[in-house]
Amino acid sequence: SPEHVKHAEVMSDPRPLVAHVIYRFDTGGLENGIVNLINHMPVERYRHAIIALTEITDFRQRIWRDDVEFIALNKKPGHGIWLFPKLFALFRKLRPAIVHSRNLAALETQLPAWAAGVPVRIHGEHGRDVGDLDGSNVTYQRVRRFYQPFVSYYLALSRDLADYLIHQIHVPENKVLQVYNGVDADRFRPSEANESAPCCLFSRPEHWIVGTVGRMQSVKDQPTLTRAFVRALQIDPNLRPRLRLAMVGDGPLRNECQQLLAEAGLSEFSWLPGERGDIAAVMRSFDCFVLPSLAEGISNTILEAMASGLPVIATAVGGNADLVSAGVSGEIVPPANVEAMAQQICRLANHPDLARRMGRAGRENVEQKFSLNSMVAAYQGTYDRLLVDSGTLALRRAESS
């Protein structure tokens, strides 16, 4: 049958297979990082499969390559122990050289990967869960310690997460690599003169637009930004003709934010379009980017904003301070602190030259430290080294010769 022919072709393919395991493959920073990694890693080096424990959405279309397999397991809520036999059989069938799981929701797949004899098992920590904003959740610590023996190597996307793995989970330091995300600095770039903006409600330079992008869920805390915007106009009423708010994304907090703006009489001062497919163009229509999150790993949206030449106001959580140099490329404020955020919005809105200088500094930082090439090289180098250490790469080359 054609399926058996295709399977035979895959099995004879000398390129090692990386099985990326995540909870759900949908719009998000973690998922976008996988897309960038697969799209920009040399095709001749690795094959890839994406395994979602729940579902795979149309977001899969962001991957350009046509040799990537997508597998959705439709897991029900709760611990996925009933999925172990299915995962074991799947790993035995696919024979991946590497299983790369991401975040706590996918960590449990490391056990069936180990049982199935997968040579290299990598787990990535990308950010905090809403139920564990500071890493102190004892249950989550115990879960991570339980699965630690089945994991070959850890990738942490911030210094904060690397320290957590080493000091709280007691992972040996030589099994943890802190690796930054990369951003497509060609796609995300500063705006050009007279470039049309997708935000048709407001126009520059008449308006000075404070923007954010992200899923509107509790850990992202967009209501704090909404309240800070309202407060900024109270602090400095002279900003009313110019200051505007754009919040892009959908989720349970969108209605709450719209209601807060309506109660303040500022609905016409804001744009909440829901989810958009033209984020790079939307970013270029902003004058300042704000990330009000209660927890983060290394934020893709901060990197995208910096690549777009925007000053960034971000909360002092996770890896945000790894990215934003306070006073140079933006400002860091305490989480859930409306007043501090409002003060910084007022300051930058009243000093647009300072905001532009910060934006240029952020762009330069992205070009030097956070390029896609640097990210791909870090992941590919890790894959190569671990496969050589396991003896798998040499074996595969011998089999294919």
Side-chain angles (χ1 to χ4, degrees), residues 31-76:
E31 296 81 0
N32 197 54
I34 296 173
V35 168
N36 284 334
L37 179 64
I38 292 174
N39 282 344
H40 292 88
M41 189 175 283
V43 174
E44 67 274 10
R45 296 302 295 272
Y46 287 95
R47 291 181 293 127
H48 301 271
I50 293 176
I51 301 170
L53 299 184
T54 54
E55 62 177 329
I56 289 173
T57 71
D58 290 343
F59 190 71
R60 64 185 287 175
Q61 293 167 5
R62 293 280 306 278
I63 289 181
W64 307 327
R65 289 172 54 168
D66 59 6
D67 63 341
V68 177
E69 190 169 357
F70 296 88
I71 301 164
L73 299 179
N74 304 307
K75 174 183 180 290
K76 294 181 175 65

Side-chain angles (χ1 to χ4, degrees), residues 93-248:
K93 177 187 172 187
L94 294 177
R95 291 179 57 204
I98 298 169
V99 163
H100 187 166
S101 61
R102 288 163 171 88
N103 277 353
L104 184 63
L107 176 59
E108 62 198 29
T109 61
Q110 292 287 337
L111 197 159
W114 167 81
V118 176
V120 175
R121 300 170 303 280
I122 298 172
H123 182 68
E125 289 286 351
H126 287 243
R128 298 284 188 209
D129 187 88
V130 67
D132 189 25
L133 297 179
D134 60 358
S136 63
N137 187 307
V138 175
T139 300
Y140 290 175
Q141 290 178 14
R142 286 174 179 158
V143 170
R144 286 184 168 93
R145 288 186 195 124
F146 174 80
Y147 285 104
Q148 187 200 319
F150 309 108
V151 180
S152 313
Y153 203 71
Y154 289 84
L155 294 176
L157 266 69
S158 69
R159 287 195 300 261
D160 169 61
L161 291 169
D163 288 344
Y164 169 76
L165 288 171
I166 293 165
H167 300 299
Q168 296 290 334
I169 312 305
H170 310 306
V171 178
E173 201 165 341
N174 64 358
K175 286 181 63 175
V176 179
L177 176 67
Q178 198 252 297
V179 57
Y180 287 121
N181 274 345
V183 62
D184 187 339
D186 294 326
R187 181 168 169 242
F188 289 90
R189 55 174 175 76
S191 63
E192 297 169 3
N194 302 318
E195 188 170 352
S196 60
C199 176
C200 56
L201 296 182
F202 314 128
S203 59
R204 298 161 73 199
E206 178 188 354
H207 296 124
W208 201 83
I209 302 167
V210 173
T212 195
V213 175
R215 285 179 287 197
M216 300 192 76
Q217 56 194 37
S218 55
V219 72
K220 299 300 182 183
D221 196 24
Q222 287 92 347
T224 286
L225 172 55
T226 308
R227 292 184 175 96
F229 175 72
V230 173
R231 177 66 184 138
L233 292 175
Q234 292 170 348
I235 293 169
D236 189 352
N238 292 327
L239 288 174
R240 284 182 73 89
R242 290 195 306 121
L243 191 61
R244 297 294 182 266
L245 176 67
M247 304 177 79
V248 179

Side-chain angles (χ1 to χ4, degrees), residues 298-374:
I298 287 293
S299 167
N300 277 293
T301 48
I302 284 183
L303 289 174
E304 291 165 357
M306 290 167 61
S308 302
L310 299 176
V312 176
I313 300 170
T315 47
V317 298
N320 290 353
D322 292 9
L323 305 182
V324 181
S325 180
V328 178
S329 60
E331 296 295 348
I332 298 292
V333 298
N337 190 317
V338 171
E339 189 69 20
M341 192 174 288
Q343 293 286 353
Q344 291 300 338
I345 290 171
C346 288
R347 176 168 170 257
L348 293 184
N350 281 313
H351 297 89
D353 289 343
L354 170 63
R356 284 191 288 270
R357 280 200 305 275
M358 286 180 163
R360 287 194 294 271
R363 172 72 189 188
E364 290 169 7
N365 198 20
V366 162
E367 290 172 347
Q368 291 166 9
K369 286 180 63 179
F370 302 108
S371 70
L372 273 185
N373 287 342
S374 296

